[in-house]
Amino acid sequence: MKPDYKNWMPIQMIIGFLVGAIIFFILSLIFKENILVINQGWNGILFVIFLVLTIIMALICLYMYMLYRAFDYNGGRKLSKEIIEKTAKFSRVVEEGKVLDIGCGSGALTIAVAKENPKSYVIGLDRWGKEYASFNKKLCEDNAKIEGVSARTEFIEGNAVKLPFKDGSFDAIVSNYCIHNIPSRDRQKILLEALRTLKKGGTFALHDIYSRGKYGDMDGFVDKLKSKGYEKVELIDTTDKFMKKREASLYFLNGSGILYGKK
């Protein structure tokens, strides 16, 4: 039995745009054939509008399908799997260390970190929102059981904006493409909330899209952490390490990087 890590591109969204394209195409035919006669001029205008909407929806649907194929764990490219496994390589913890994975989704990174650190205990946290309706706690637990790490993993519901843990609770913190999805004017504040739960001497590897539009001045943030006494902080560009640059541009992953260091 294989684990089911689902897909970063929800199939429901693809189906939604496909249905939209079909509906707009039918409406364009209705007005083209004058089935609903308003007047000749308006029928022609509405035909063009609905035909344009059909093309737009169809192109979006096709692009989303390309994303789905690229990120599919069972597909040819397996980009999600590659990114998860490479992110997990940055999760170095002491023996029997405790790790937090923020935004665990289907449990992929939590499980990969548990495999990478055979004596660690890894907690995966997520709010499992409706936008990823197929991701849930049971799915994570089932995947961990199939992968043979259920005894060293735990999955809980929580919000990255306010983590349900005391200061200095973990030996390592990891995350993958989570925080940029959280609506916020200050995502650096969310990063600080994550680092609050890290022990002195603990490591962190937070992989995300660190564009200025999403995070502001990250070079300044790195300097800020260093001024606070962090032993090591660096922002490692992953657009040509975890994927091809062409893929980063095509799949809106430009700006991808790992905020990596030691407290």
Side-chain angles (χ1 to χ4, degrees):
M1 189 174 180
K2 291 184 178 181
D4 180 10
Y5 291 121
K6 301 299 181 183
N7 198 298
W8 294 352
M9 172 51 63
I11 191 66
Q12 296 89 341
M13 194 176 293
I14 298 173
I15 292 171
F17 276 96
L18 177 61
V19 170
I22 292 171
I23 291 172
F24 284 132
F25 180 66
I26 292 171
L27 287 171
S28 69
L29 291 179
I30 288 173
F31 286 102
K32 180 177 184 295
E33 300 299 328
N34 295 318
I35 295 173
L36 292 177
V37 179
I38 300 174
N39 62 55
Q40 197 66 35
W42 272 107
N43 275 21
I45 292 171
L46 290 171
F47 163 70
V48 172
I49 289 173
F50 286 124
L51 184 60
V52 169
L53 289 173
T54 298
I55 295 170
I56 291 172
M57 296 288 276
L59 289 174
I60 292 173
C61 181
L62 178 62
Y63 177 69
M64 286 182 169
Y65 182 68
M66 288 172 55
L67 292 176
Y68 185 86
R69 289 285 301 273
F71 291 122
D72 188 1
Y73 264 76
N74 299 312
R77 178 63 183 90
K78 297 184 177 70
L79 186 56
S80 295
K81 184 175 187 291
E82 183 174 349
I83 290 171
I84 287 290
E85 290 178 350
K86 288 182 177 179
T87 300
K89 293 290 183 184
F90 282 83
S91 63
R92 296 289 183 266
V93 297
V94 296
E95 287 193 3
E96 300 181 6
K98 193 175 179 181
V99 187
L100 173 64
D101 173 20
I102 299 172
C104 63
S106 60
L109 182 57
T110 306
I111 292 166
V113 169
K115 286 183 172 183
E116 188 70 24
N117 301 275
K119 294 184 179 181
S120 65
Y121 188 82
V122 191
I123 295 176
L125 175 141
D126 206 301
R127 69 179 183 84
W128 293 298
K130 62 182 179 180
E131 61 269 42
Y132 285 95
S134 61
F135 291 9
N136 54 65
K137 181 178 179 178
K138 186 179 184 303
L139 174 66
C140 295
E141 291 173 341
D142 289 345
N143 285 336
K145 186 175 181 179
I146 292 168
E147 295 278 23
V149 295
S150 58
R152 295 189 294 107
T153 56
E154 178 184 354
F155 299 94
I156 66 172
E157 187 170 353
N159 195 322
V161 175
K162 189 175 182 180
L163 296 169
F165 306 108
K166 295 180 180 179
D167 295 359
S169 297
F170 297 96
D171 297 287
I173 298 172
V174 298
S175 184
N176 182 63
Y177 287 144
C178 166
I179 297 174
H180 78 273
N181 286 316
I182 301 173
S184 176
R185 293 182 179 180
D186 188 0
R187 291 188 177 90
Q188 291 185 13
K189 185 177 180 180
I190 302 175
L191 294 176
L192 290 173
E193 170 63 7
L195 295 173
R196 174 188 65 77
T197 67
L198 187 63
K199 292 179 181 177
K200 180 67 177 177
T203 60
F204 54 93
L206 307 174
H207 190 219
D208 210 343
I209 302 173
Y210 290 109
S211 65
R212 181 171 287 272
K214 295 180 186 297
Y215 276 93
D217 180 10
M218 282 303 294
D219 290 332
F221 184 74
V222 168
D223 292 338
K224 180 180 178 180
L225 293 183
K226 289 178 179 177
S227 70
K228 286 178 174 287
Y230 279 70
E231 186 176 329
K232 179 182 181 181
V233 188
E234 56 182 320
L235 187 57
I236 303 169
D237 184 2
T238 60
T239 53
D240 60 349
K241 294 181 176 67
F242 286 16
M243 65 202 85
K244 298 173 183 176
K245 285 191 174 182
R246 174 180 56 82
E247 291 175 324
S249 299
L250 183 61
Y251 303 140
F252 296 109
L253 297 177
N254 278 328
S256 291
I258 281 190
L259 183 66
Y260 175 73
K262 186 174 183 180
K263 194 170 185 179

